[in-house]
Amino acid sequence: MYERAPLSDPDTDEEEVMFFPTDMPLYDRLFFNWVEPVVHAGEDKSFGVDDMYRLPRGLMSKVVFEEFVMLWGTAQMESKTRPKLWNVLHDLIFVEFWIAGLYRLCSDILVLFTPLLVREFVVSAEIQSTFDMLGLAIIFMLVLVAQAICMQQFIHGCFMSGSKVVSASTSAVFHSSLALRLHKMYPSKTIGEIHGLLSKDTFALREFVVFAHNLWACSLTIVVGVAMILYL
């Protein structure tokens, strides 16, 4: 299922060497089994470039930038004015970003559900109900496993979204610098200095995307946690 072809083979079908196969079973998606061949590739020999997956076409900088330009043009035609960068980037990562947010919501709900299970477990222990204690222990274990899976999927989704933002914004920066010749607009700075400043902004965008869900998730956790303390 996870066969890889050498990166040096130009005739290899891209669908066979995708980093994240589209036909992957749900079980393998949830538990990241698609990483296993790469993890074990260095056990019997030295790990080399040919042991890595090819980058999926949808994550290549050229493809991401083309999608970004298309979304920018669509937004410009719809608004009749200059579109806002953040709105276009949001459209670019909409699916990955909000699926990651859904995983974060599920993870936080499970975390908040854990104290209720602990309380019920203590009550069952007080009345010495072995059957209830066993059932609650199993449920507690499943909740912890599900919470860990949701959190890992959230982290993966955020970093994938952040990578697309960096790819699109960096490509746009270098494309603009070539088109506008920024080194002539700012003769006191070298091209390297200009690119360095612009690159810092692009990576700041990635950091915002990665941690943006904390704006609502932390607030929600605090409010629900306080409500549980007061009323449960």
Side-chain angles (χ1 to χ4, degrees), residues 187-199:
S188 61
K189 294 184 179 294
T190 64
I191 296 178
E193 288 176 325
I194 295 173
H195 286 171
L197 293 172
L198 296 176
S199 296

Side-chain angles (χ1 to χ4, degrees), residues 199-212:
S199 296
K200 288 177 63 176
D201 290 338
T202 60
F203 282 98
L205 282 173
R206 184 192 67 174
E207 294 302 306
F208 176 78
V209 170
V210 170
F211 296 104

Side-chain angles (χ1 to χ4, degrees), residues 82-95:
R82 185 179 181 84
K84 294 184 178 180
L85 175 62
W86 176 244
N87 291 336
V88 178
L89 290 176
H90 177 256
D91 292 339
L92 180 67
I93 62 172
F94 182 85
V95 175

Side-chain angles (χ1 to χ4, degrees), residues 11-200:
D11 298 325
T12 304
D13 185 4
E14 289 187 358
E15 292 298 325
E16 296 180 0
V17 291
M18 286 183 66
F19 185 76
F20 194 79
T22 56
D23 58 346
M24 184 185 306
L26 179 61
Y27 174 84
D28 293 334
R29 288 178 182 269
L30 291 177
F31 290 94
F32 297 99
N33 287 349
W34 47 276
V35 182
E36 186 175 352
V38 176
V39 173
H40 295 291
E43 292 181 351
D44 301 325
K45 61 176 182 178
S46 298
F47 188 83
V49 176
D50 290 342
D51 294 312
M52 299 179 64
Y53 290 108
R54 284 186 182 175
L55 190 68
R57 177 172 175 78
L59 294 179
M60 292 181 178
S61 296
K62 179 180 179 181
V63 176
V64 173
F65 179 61
E66 289 175 350
E67 185 179 357
F68 171 79
V69 171
M70 181 188 67
L71 291 171
W72 183 276
T74 302
Q76 195 167 21
M77 287 188 297
E78 291 178 352
S79 62
K80 304 298 183 182
T81 58
R82 185 179 181 84
K84 294 184 178 180
L85 175 62
W86 176 244
N87 291 336
V88 178
L89 290 176
H90 177 256
D91 292 339
L92 180 67
I93 62 172
F94 182 85
V95 175
E96 297 94 339
F97 183 75
W98 289 110
I99 287 179
L102 182 61
Y103 277 117
R104 176 61 185 269
L105 177 62
C106 293
S107 175
D108 288 350
I109 290 175
L110 292 172
V111 169
L112 292 170
F113 184 63
T114 302
L116 300 180
L117 287 175
V118 173
R119 187 185 66 175
E120 294 299 322
F121 191 87
V122 172
V123 172
S124 298
E126 289 177 349
I127 62 177
Q128 297 182 350
S129 177
T130 305
F131 181 79
D132 290 344
M133 291 173 61
L134 179 61
L136 288 170
I138 294 174
I139 295 174
F140 189 75
M141 180 191 67
L142 294 177
V143 167
L144 291 179
V145 171
Q147 189 273 330
I149 292 173
C150 289
M151 180 55 67
Q152 292 301 317
Q153 290 293 331
F154 161 71
I155 294 172
H156 176 262
C158 285
F159 276 95
M160 292 295 288
S161 300
S163 297
K164 291 188 70 173
V165 167
V166 169
S167 182
S169 54
T170 303
S171 298
V173 164
F174 281 97
H175 184 271
S176 299
S177 65
L178 292 174
L180 298 176
R181 300 186 180 182
L182 295 179
H183 63 287
K184 292 187 176 181
M185 298 174 62
Y186 301 96
S188 61
K189 294 184 179 294
T190 64
I191 296 178
E193 288 176 325
I194 295 173
H195 286 171
L197 293 172
L198 296 176
S199 296
K200 288 177 63 176

